[in-house]
Amino acid sequence: MPQASVLVLNGNYEPLNVCTLRRAVSLVMLGKAEPLVFRSEALSTVSGPMPAPSVVRLHQTVRRPIPMLRLSRHSVLARDRYTCQYCGSKGSDLTIDHVVPKRRGGQDTWDNLVACCRRCNLMKGDKTPQQARMNLLRQPSRPHYVPYISLPQYLRARREPEWSPFLPRFDAFEEDLVPA
Ligand SMILES: [Zn+2]
């Protein structure tokens, strides 16, 4: 998490967004938000050092429709904890596999897309897991998560000790968030 990121809470304390420090400071200056938590290091400005917020809360509660959890490459990888769903290897060299291949009618849906390493992707090719004799570690499904912030953003944000108390907990992700 870059030092310059700030967690923005809605007036009702729900996590709303992650923004830059500059944006957060201007929200505070304009009287639209209050700082709740400061960073240990101060911000240097033309008028001298000032405390740098780490978490701010809007004075008003912004109404937002319940956002849809967007199906994207990043969301699928985050849901699968950046782990190949066939061999369990973790890493950055992951692709997205259609469990039932597109050619066989597989869709772009939460229950048909999984994180997959390149090696497994090659081995599986255009087969179903049964045909390729490759078992999924777990059955993919839509995550139970109400994303006021995006899923990858949430997982990163939960690792920030200062932000963690303001973020809701989702059991599905707890095991990944134990500090190393
Ligand atoms: Zn693999």
Side-chain angles (χ1 to χ4, degrees), residues 83-90 94 115-121 123 134:
T83 302
C84 172
Q85 293 300 291
Y86 295 102
C87 73
S89 72
K90 281 182 183 274
L94 292 170
C116 181
C117 73
R118 290 188 193 279
R119 193 171 147 267
C120 290
N121 212 322
M123 276 166 46
M134 292 167 71

Side-chain angles (χ1 to χ4, degrees), residues 96-114:
I96 300 291
D97 174 59
H98 285 81
V99 177
V100 175
K102 269 190 156 174
R103 278 204 211 159
R104 297 174 189 273
Q107 306 273 308
D108 289 335
T109 51
W110 282 109
D111 55 7
N112 196 48
L113 296 173
V114 291

Side-chain angles (χ1 to χ4, degrees), residues 126-139:
D126 243 353
K127 305 190 200 89
T128 64
Q130 292 81 357
Q131 290 165 335
R133 294 173 189 276
M134 292 167 71
N135 293 324
L136 283 166
L137 295 182
R138 85 189 97 201
Q139 207 51 46

Side-chain angles (χ1 to χ4, degrees), residues 31-158:
K32 293 188 173 172
E34 59 170 348
L36 290 186
V37 177
F38 290 101
R39 298 192 177 280
S40 44
E41 65 275 23
L43 184 68
S44 50
T45 69
V46 280
S47 43
M50 67 170 279
S54 175
V55 180
V56 300
R57 172 183 161 255
L58 298 180
H59 289 302
Q60 294 199 323
T61 299
V62 179
R63 283 205 190 174
R64 302 188 87 201
I66 298 285
M68 294 292 292
L69 181 49
R70 256 190 52 226
L71 180 65
S72 70
R73 178 187 148 76
H74 284 292
S75 299
V76 170
L77 291 177
R79 180 202 61 189
D80 291 343
R81 295 121 179 189
Y82 302 92
T83 302
C84 172
Q85 293 300 291
Y86 295 102
C87 73
S89 72
K90 281 182 183 274
S92 50
D93 196 25
L94 292 170
T95 61
I96 300 291
D97 174 59
H98 285 81
V99 177
V100 175
K102 269 190 156 174
R103 278 204 211 159
R104 297 174 189 273
Q107 306 273 308
D108 289 335
T109 51
W110 282 109
D111 55 7
N112 196 48
L113 296 173
V114 291
C116 181
C117 73
R118 290 188 193 279
R119 193 171 147 267
C120 290
N121 212 322
L122 272 174
M123 276 166 46
K124 182 167 175 284
D126 243 353
K127 305 190 200 89
T128 64
Q130 292 81 357
Q131 290 165 335
R133 294 173 189 276
M134 292 167 71
N135 293 324
L136 283 166
L137 295 182
R138 85 189 97 201
Q139 207 51 46
S141 62
R142 190 177 200 284
H144 298 288
Y145 168 63
V146 180
Y148 290 99
I149 58 178
S150 76
L151 185 57
Q153 220 175 22
Y154 167 82
L155 290 173
R156 277 199 305 274
R158 276 293 308 276

